[in-house]
Amino acid sequence: MSALGSLGRPRLHLRETSSTNERARELALAGAPHGTLVTAGAQTAGRGRQGRTWSAPAGAALLASFVVRIPGEGTAVLPLAAAVAVSEACERCAPVECAIKWPNDVWIDGRKVAGILLEGRPQEGWAVLGIGVNVTVRSGDLPDELRETATSLLEAGGGRPPAPTVEAVLAATATALERWLIADPADVAAAWGARDALRGLPVRWDTGHGLAEGIDPSSGALVVSAPDGRRTELHAGEVALVRPGEAD
Ligand code: BTN
């Protein structure tokens, strides 16, 4: 088996923890091998991008963090590959169609079903890939501020088969990740681009607005054209929030 053919083993499952990313980070620092997986039924301090929190009712979401050890040049494509893999896994486990909202939110019909948080030390050859997927979450069980913007595989699938389960989504995610992590970066970028939820739309971010033109395949940056026609690249670590919205 190749070094990248064992995502999900060994696996540590916790009934509850603060954050699976935190547990996986500790394991990575202690030398855990590529593919090590931490899952949890619930998180008390689930982490999202840009310092936000991630909440999900116990037992209703996939809360998973993989230790990924790949050479430095592979890390640029990792967030893109992860979003494509999670999208495919969701579509395998429920009758839904997924799009990716830059940088790597997975959307169904404009609502977020999954988020990805990449942490770690790429320069040391490891990262923690944290994945949260709302599987059987009911919107009524979400915090007020998420009810209009989030969805789950169960709700988006409208009760039609297949009925999604957390373990099925995990298995499909690991399988898809194994494939996409070693794919040609150009293929990853093309698959990402085919699911791009923002392309061609006016977008706003914390310091500006413009038209989304897709991603730069090598850096994963979002390319936008400003109202004066100049093209700008937005980098995921630097921009707090990009959302669709009419330009002024
Ligand atoms: C985001 O969309 O802001 C990223 C959300 C990532 C959430 C997952 S849930 C499993 C893993 N553990 C965490 O603390 N966060 C990630």
Side-chain angles (χ1 to χ4, degrees), residues 203-210 226-227 232 234 238-243:
V203 291
R204 310 190 68 86
W205 61 100
D206 31 3
T207 56
H209 60 92
T232 311
L234 305 180
E238 297 163 7
V239 178
L241 182 67
V242 172
R243 56 190 162 81

Side-chain angles (χ1 to χ4, degrees), residues 7 33 52 63 112 115-116 176 185 187 218 227 239 244:
L7 280 180
R52 292 188 279 266
L63 306 169
K112 182 165 171 171
I116 293 165
D187 293 340
S218 52
V239 178

